[in-house]
Structures are given as structure tokens and as C-alpha cells.
Amino acid sequence: MHNVERHYNHGDLEQTILTALEREGKDIEQLSLDDLAPIDEFHIRGPEATREMAEEIGLAGGMQVLDVGSGLGGPSRRLASNYGCCVKGLDLTETYCRVAEALSVRLGLDHLVSYRTGNALDMPFEDMSFDVLWTQHTAMNIGAKAQLYTEMYRVLKPGGHLAIYDIIAGPGGRVYFPLPWARDPSISFLATDDELRHFLETAGFKILSWRDTTADGLAWFKAKSAQIKKLGKPILGYHILLGEDFPQMARNQLRNFNENRMALLQAIAKRPAN
Ligand SMILES: C[S@@+](CC[C@H](N)C(=O)[O-])C[C@H]1O[C@@H](n2cnc3c(N)ncnc32)[C@H](O)[C@@H]1O
């Protein structure tokens, strides 16, 4: 098993999630996207960040979208449900793909979304297959970034958009571990702003927008922590995925942002039309 998959792998994840939902008083036969969002939108600012980026690229019905590092499928289901696009998810972690499939069936969205286990560095898709390439909080686990963005460019149709929501390296020095995507540096690869621009442009992309959303991320952490103080720890949350050291990961994440060791980036790039 790949070290990244070992980090995310979880024994009986589907049942653990369903049990947590039931303990929260949800009817697991009538689940909504928002019921699952505390766990299946596995990135800072959850559904808000997903909606914001979808609006920015102008997603529309019928578009073919590939979500690279699709996780438990929350973003892909939201894109399919809100905009009517067809979304394929690709993820290295097989358990996540299986759970993503099961949750999609439960939400009645399996006609629009599907998942495939595989590596973003060698995608099992034909050249120029997708209108949109979508990726959130995944490249942090991938060291071979030149290969990653070249591969993304290959499967994107000319004129198609690449939407990126990732954590990048800041000027403040090395990050503190453990973090939600890595307990140590062996599976953490943060590019700087300049490096990422270089990788994208070398792959052939034209950068259309580049936005530092760290302040929005920090405001979200503040709101989450106020909510926990008021209502106590939620039953359904990322701790289910990441285990007992999740609180330490969250604290490190906050410290790294506050000390400019890392930053949150939302960027849109385009594969020029022929
Ligand atoms: C923090 S999760 C984010 C999941 C999802 N994008 C979301 O925002 O809800 C990172 C995901 O990237 C996947 N991943 C990491 N490296 C990958 C690779 N080389 N190829 C495909 N998926 C990868 C992991 O398995 C994990 O599911």
C-alpha cells in the first residue's frame, strides 16, 4: 500500500460514518449533501469553498468534470447535484472510492458521479477527456508536481479549465507536523507560490486567477472553534478520518497559517484552445 493511502486508509469507514450520523439524529435513508458535509468535504471551508470555486469557473449542466483526489466524494456530489455536471472522481485510497460510491447511491446521485482508484500521476483516462479538472487539498501529498500538472493538462480538453484549491508553502519557514494530510514530511510536498505558477505554465496552462484565501480559512477556523466551545465536539467530523491526533493536526494547521509557514490558494487556469 502507498504511504499516502496508508495515511488515509480506515477499516470500516462507511459503517463508522453511518453510525455517527445516526447518533446525531439523522435519518440515514434520507441523507442530504449538508448532512455529510462535516466529513465528506475534506478541506478547509467545506462546501463554501466548493461552491465558490464552482461559481468562479462557471460550471454548467452536461460538463464532464474530473475530481483529482476525490476523497469521500462530497465535492463531486455537490457539483453534480447543484450544476448537473457528470463527475468522475479519481483517488489513490481505495476505501475512500468505495465509500464515495456507497454514499452516492444513498443520495441518489450515482447516475452522475463515479469513482476510480488510481494515481493522479498516471491517470487512467484518454487525452482531452474532460471540460473541467477539479482538485482540492490533494497536491499537498504529491511530490512529482511537474508530472501532476502535465498529466492534468493531458486529460483536459483544449479550452477547458483547471480549478485548484490547495495549501501552498509560505515564506515563514518549515511547517509543524502532524497535519491532516501527513503526520511527517515524508508524504507532504508544499510548493511555493512561484513554484506552482512555474509548474502550471511549464505544463502549458494559462493562469486566469490566483487568490490567497488564507484570511477566509482563518475566519472559518475561528467560527468552528466558537461552535465547539458552545455546542461541544461534533460526533461527525474529520477526527473520524484522522484519528486521535486530529486536534493536534488542527492546532498545527492554525499555527502554520498564523506564522505564514503555509497559505491557502484558490487558482483557476486554462488549457488554451487549439
Ligand atoms: C485531504 S483529502 C481531500 C479529498 C477531497 N478532495 C475533498 O476535498 O473532500 C486528499 C485526498 O487526496 C488523495 N490523494 C493523495 N495523493 C493522491 C494521488 N497521487 N493520486 C490520487 N489521489 C491522491 C488522498 O487519497 C485523499 O483522498
Side-chain angles (χ1 to χ4, degrees):
M1 191 185 280
H2 194 290
N3 282 343
V4 170
E5 185 178 4
R6 194 166 294 122
H7 173 76
Y8 291 107
N9 195 41
H10 185 296
D12 194 6
L13 187 54
E14 185 188 356
Q15 195 47 53
T16 309
I17 292 173
L18 294 177
T19 304
L21 284 160
E22 281 182 318
R23 284 181 55 213
E24 284 206 327
K26 309 283 184 209
D27 177 354
I28 59 166
E29 301 308 327
Q30 303 277 331
L31 289 175
S32 69
L33 293 175
D34 287 344
D35 289 337
L36 288 167
I39 195 163
D40 74 357
E41 294 255 9
F42 192 7
H43 50 258
I44 297 164
R45 293 178 66 228
E48 206 180 321
T50 300
R51 274 193 293 266
E52 204 174 277
M53 195 156 77
E55 295 296 327
E56 194 176 349
I57 49 170
L59 268 195
M63 282 184 171
Q64 300 293 321
V65 180
L66 174 64
D67 183 1
V68 179
S70 44
L72 300 175
S76 46
R77 282 187 291 276
R78 193 167 294 272
L79 300 184
S81 172
N82 291 5
Y83 303 93
C85 24
C86 288
V87 191
K88 282 199 167 66
L90 178 77
D91 203 286
L92 199 60
T93 305
E94 194 181 354
T95 326
Y96 279 12
C97 292
R98 298 293 78 82
V99 175
E101 270 164 12
L103 294 175
S104 302
V105 170
R106 217 165 248 286
L107 269 78
L109 286 166
D110 50 317
H111 59 298
L112 289 175
V113 298
S114 60
Y115 302 93
R116 193 140 170 195
T117 307
N119 196 326
L121 294 174
D122 182 18
M123 302 202 224
F125 303 111
E126 300 285 313
D127 295 357
M128 299 187 264
S129 302
F130 299 96
D131 301 298
V132 170
L133 263 277
W134 176 276
T135 188
Q136 293 170 294
H137 287 36
T138 293
M140 296 110 76
N141 280 132
I142 303 178
K145 295 207 195 288
Q147 191 180 341
L148 171 67
Y149 296 109
T150 302
E151 205 36 13
M152 287 184 171
Y153 187 91
R154 179 184 71 75
V155 300
L156 187 60
K157 291 181 190 169
H161 288 91
L162 164 63
I164 298 176
Y165 179 50
D166 268 326
I167 293 172
I168 59 171
R174 286 190 189 162
V175 293
Y176 294 104
F177 290 95
L179 286 161
W181 64 92
R183 285 193 167 76
D184 63 58
S186 67
I187 54 165
S188 177
F189 309 95
L190 302 186
T192 63
D193 193 288
D194 286 348
E195 284 166 351
L196 181 52
R197 282 175 191 272
H198 173 75
F199 288 129
L200 289 168
E201 285 170 351
T202 305
F205 287 105
K206 180 175 182 333
I207 295 168
L208 301 183
S209 78
W210 199 264
R211 200 153 65 82
D212 182 330
T213 61
T214 310
D216 298 332
L218 287 171
W220 181 83
F221 280 117
K222 206 170 161 189
K224 279 252 164 209
S225 122
Q227 200 180 19
I228 290 172
K229 268 193 193 126
K230 198 170 151 201
L231 304 172
K233 273 192 190 156
I235 300 170
L236 189 73
Y238 304 139
H239 58 280
I240 288 183
L241 302 174
L242 296 169
E244 285 177 7
D245 51 351
F246 175 65
Q248 184 60 43
M249 293 173 172
R251 281 193 294 277
N252 285 340
Q253 191 151 248
L254 205 54
R255 181 175 180 193
N256 288 328
F257 281 128
N258 279 324
E259 296 179 5
N260 287 324
R261 294 170 191 275
M262 58 190 208
L264 203 48
L265 171 79
Q266 181 176 309
I268 309 295
K270 183 175 176 165
R271 172 171 175 162
N274 282 336

